[in-house]
Amino acid sequence: MKQTIAHFLHEKMKINQRFIYNQMVHLKKYRPIMIGSFADDGIHPFPLINYYRLNDIDDFGRFAKEQNIVAIHAHHGKHAVEILPLCIAHRIPLVVSIRGRDGSAKHQSLRRNQKRYHLLKQHGALFLPVCRYLANELITLGFPPKKIQVLYGGIELDLFPYRERTIPANGDIIILSIGRLVEKKGFLTLVRAFWRVHAVHPRCRLRIIGSGKEEEKHPPACQRAEARSVCRPAGCHGCRFNRPRNGTRPSILLGERDRF
């Protein structure tokens, strides 16, 4: 049997995690399987490939040998901590992707991550931050530099083909941003920055598509005095907020915009 990478899933994948899913299923040198903590109810945004629930595996050591598992890949630092004891017990190398706050050494994250990753720094085999900045953050947290390799996130060119973009001679200049409306994504900062852009370039229009815990805070941000000439409740000027529509592919919306 081909050598196998077991991808650990802490929970069901979300629709916005296609980039992680692609890293799992498009391996060429290794055979991918998925292991996780949840029961497979058959309802997923992407098809699970060879998924095994950990609670259903009686003897993980024997299972690892039967599947020819040579490494386990956790796609988030917090999830790596969860699967780490199993990797240590069976001497299976653990590969960890670091994608954001899970690799931060700033403010409250510094102490939390130092404590959380005490054993992971010792026993993890390879750490894959998505940029050089996060690589430096991991070094600040005490991760061995020799175990860190930057792995940049790719772009699916079939969904986002490159094309030359020019500023339209007339009409609105549409800037589109799509994402989860949560604090760490910085959409409120984007709105405030857009006020300044619009003051210099009044043809610019900002469209934001998304939903999340911070959703109710965004329209009021457009009603502040600084933005009254830019944004209106009906969304006909400046900033407009929309929830994502079922069946609408973000790639199509992004492709239609002047900037995203």
Side-chain angles (χ1 to χ4, degrees):
M1 181 185 292
K2 199 173 184 179
Q3 289 185 323
T4 300
I5 302 294
H7 298 274
F8 174 65
L9 301 176
H10 168 76
E11 57 190 358
K12 292 173 62 175
M13 299 199 70
K14 301 179 178 64
I15 188 64
N16 63 330
Q17 293 179 325
R18 177 175 172 139
F19 63 100
I20 297 177
Y21 180 80
N22 284 341
Q23 286 189 350
M24 297 180 184
V25 301
H26 291 301
L27 295 176
K28 294 182 178 179
K29 186 177 178 180
Y30 299 95
R31 166 180 170 264
I33 67 171
M34 301 177 184
I35 58 176
S37 307
F38 57 90
D40 181 8
D41 59 6
I43 303 174
H44 308 282
F46 315 109
L48 293 186
I49 305 296
N50 298 325
Y51 175 74
Y52 300 89
R53 187 186 181 193
L54 288 173
N55 286 347
D56 296 333
I57 301 173
D58 296 326
D59 186 335
F60 191 84
R62 184 175 64 188
F63 170 82
K65 290 181 180 178
E66 291 173 349
Q67 296 292 330
N68 197 21
I69 295 174
V70 295
I72 292 177
H73 189 167
H75 291 265
H76 190 281
K78 182 173 66 174
H79 302 167
V81 173
E82 182 178 343
I83 196 67
L84 179 63
L86 197 65
C87 295
I88 295 174
H90 297 282
R91 298 183 179 181
I92 300 174
L94 177 59
V95 178
V96 186
S97 289
I98 301 293
R99 305 184 184 279
R101 192 166 58 178
D102 56 330
S104 175
K106 296 291 189 293
H107 309 299
Q108 300 94 331
S109 298
L110 173 61
R111 182 171 298 180
R112 180 195 66 216
N113 285 339
Q114 281 181 329
K115 182 178 180 181
R116 172 192 288 173
Y117 297 147
H118 174 66
L119 288 177
L120 184 62
K121 289 183 286 188
Q122 299 178 42
H123 297 283
L126 179 64
F127 304 98
L128 301 174
V130 296
C131 61
R132 174 51 54 189
Y133 174 82
L134 282 175
N136 292 334
E137 291 286 276
L138 291 181
I139 293 172
T140 299
L141 288 170
F143 284 80
K146 65 181 181 180
K147 292 185 178 182
I148 298 172
Q149 176 66 52
V150 175
L151 180 62
Y152 295 103
I155 296 176
E156 293 184 72
L157 294 179
D158 58 329
L159 291 178
F160 305 99
Y162 174 78
R163 69 177 178 86
E164 291 286 346
R165 296 175 187 268
T166 59
I167 301 299
N170 301 295
D172 293 341
I173 301 170
I174 306 300
I175 302 171
L176 177 65
S177 184
I178 300 177
R180 290 187 297 129
L181 300 183
V182 295
E183 182 179 5
K184 67 180 182 178
K185 298 300 182 182
F187 281 104
L188 290 177
T189 301
L190 172 62
V191 171
R192 289 191 289 267
F194 178 74
W195 300 343
R196 299 187 179 187
V197 172
H198 189 273
V200 180
H201 303 282
R203 292 170 54 205
C204 287
R205 297 292 182 266
L206 174 64
R207 303 291 182 261
I208 296 177
I209 296 177
S211 61
K213 292 185 292 185
E214 300 289 314
E215 186 173 349
E216 70 283 354
K217 296 182 181 180
H218 290 73
C222 289
Q223 308 310 315
R224 292 178 54 178
E226 304 96 311
R228 285 174 186 164
S229 63
V230 180
C231 314
R232 295 182 181 179
C236 56
H237 286 76
C239 305
R240 178 180 296 169
F241 297 88
N242 300 101
R243 292 182 61 85
R245 297 178 182 177
N246 290 334
T248 302
R249 292 176 58 183
S251 57
I252 296 176
L253 296 172
L254 291 169
E256 294 172 347
R257 300 303 86 179
D258 301 304
R259 292 289 184 269
F260 63 86

